[in-house]
């Protein structure tokens, strides 16, 4: 990858976390301000970046259109959407997610927001921690052994809470259990007040192509109560898998 392209992509990732000044962008890239300004002006001209009246840089409107098109290309999202909405309603208005594995990351493709006042941090298009979320565990558990080993070798087992899995050995045990029981859980491992269960969506050959999860704040349901939602979750993922298999018939 060319250095200029790499730096431009780094700018977009940086702005995805919040607005930045020219000085901040230059510092992040470890380049002179003139180099950062040239890159920002190029991105601004094509509407990938916009500059406000205070000379702060933000993501631009061009990315909205690209994001919409990217989501539209994920056909599984369209197939799953009605089932996600139904699952959210059937579980009492809980948050429901759809995620897929892409280039070493679990990416949220769709989300049905909880109807409760307590909300969890997650956004469509952003990655889910592979070692600390139910969807991450479901997606990694189904990878071929060689690819799974490579993923584990690259995971930074940084703790999000006191319950986050701390090392690859513990993670391997969880992945084996996930394959055996057919679902995974996040027991307050990513956010210390959220419990979550996740299950796979499979294609005609039985390969996992996505994962669905139900996430519930512990003030709404305790961990065992969230686990009790697994049958409804599995019914939803089986229905999505069936619709996916029958989409061309």
């Amino acid at each position: 990858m060319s250095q200029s392209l790499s730096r431009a992509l780094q700018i977009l990732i940086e702005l995805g976390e919040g607005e930045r000044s020219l000085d901040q962008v230059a510092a992040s890239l470890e380049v002179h301000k003139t180099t950062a300004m040239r890159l920002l002006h190029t991105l601004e001209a094509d509407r990938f970046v916009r500059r406000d009246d205070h000379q702060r840089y933000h993501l631009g409107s061009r990315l909205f259109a690209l994001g919409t098109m990217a989501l539209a290309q994920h056909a599984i999202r369209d197939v799953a959407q009605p089932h996600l909405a139904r699952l959210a309603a059937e579980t009492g208005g809980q948050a429901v997610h759809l995620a897929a594995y892409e280039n070493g990351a679990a990416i949220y493709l769709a989300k049905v927001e909880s109807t409760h006042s307590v909300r969890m941090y997650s956004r469509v298009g952003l990655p889910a921690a592979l070692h600390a979320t139910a969807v991450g565990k479901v997606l990694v558990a189904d990878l071929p052994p060689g690819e799974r080993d490579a993923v584990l070798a690259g995971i930074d087992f940084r703790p999000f809470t006191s319950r986050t899995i701390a090392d690859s050995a513990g993670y391997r045990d969880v992945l084996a259990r996930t394959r055996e029981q057919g679902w995974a859980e996040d027991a307050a491992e990513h956010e210390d007040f959220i419990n979550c269960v996740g299950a796979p969506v499979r294609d005609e050959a039985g390969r996992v192509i996505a994962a669905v999860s139900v996430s519930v704040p512990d003030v709404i349901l305790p961990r065992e109560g969230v686990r009790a939602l697994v049958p409804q979750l599995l019914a939803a993922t089986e229905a999505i898998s069936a619709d996916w298999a029958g989409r061309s018939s």
Side-chain angles (χ1 to χ4, degrees), residues 9 13 24 29 41 44 54 58-59 67 70 98 100 112 114 119 133 137 146 154 160 186 193 213 215 249:
L9 293 174
I13 293 170
Q24 287 174 314
L29 295 179
H41 283 176
E44 188 177 10
H54 301 287
H58 308 255
L59 292 179
L98 175 74
V112 179
S114 169
R119 301 293 177 89
T133 63
K137 294 169 187 174
F160 293 94
D186 158 11
F193 60 95
S213 66
S215 303
S249 58

Side-chain angles (χ1 to χ4, degrees), residues 15 18-20 48-52 56-60:
L15 295 183
E19 63 178 38
R20 297 288 190 272
F48 288 105
V49 161
R50 68 176 177 85
R51 183 174 30 159
D52 64 24
R56 306 282 292 183
Y57 290 89
H58 308 255
L59 292 179

Side-chain angles (χ1 to χ4, degrees), residues 94-230:
Q94 312 305 342
V96 173
H97 296 89
L98 175 74
Y101 184 80
E102 293 184 6
N103 299 322
I107 305 297
Y108 288 119
L109 301 182
K111 178 181 182 181
V112 179
E113 288 282 5
S114 169
T115 59
H116 304 292
S117 58
V118 180
R119 301 293 177 89
M120 66 176 294
Y121 172 79
S122 58
R123 283 189 291 172
V124 172
L126 292 185
L130 294 177
H131 68 298
T133 63
V135 291
K137 294 169 187 174
V138 167
L139 294 169
V140 175
D142 189 66
L143 293 174
E147 187 174 357
R148 190 165 61 241
D149 289 343
V151 169
L152 264 69
I155 291 179
D156 173 13
F157 287 92
R158 71 182 183 91
F160 293 94
T161 75
S162 62
R163 297 182 61 88
T164 305
I165 297 171
D167 54 47
S168 60
Y171 192 44
R172 285 183 187 278
D173 290 343
V174 168
L175 296 178
R177 186 161 62 249
T178 297
R179 289 191 296 273
E180 180 180 351
Q181 67 188 13
W183 58 276
E185 70 174 325
D186 158 11
E189 297 163 49
H190 190 254
E191 296 178 80
D192 57 15
F193 60 95
I194 299 284
N195 289 296
C196 179
V197 287
V201 175
R202 299 181 182 275
D203 65 11
E204 301 90 323
R207 294 174 297 232
V208 174
I209 56 172
V212 175
S213 66
V214 180
S215 303
V216 190
D218 54 17
V219 296
I220 305 298
L221 278 178
R223 181 180 175 187
E224 289 305 315
V226 178
R227 281 183 165 185
L229 301 177
V230 168

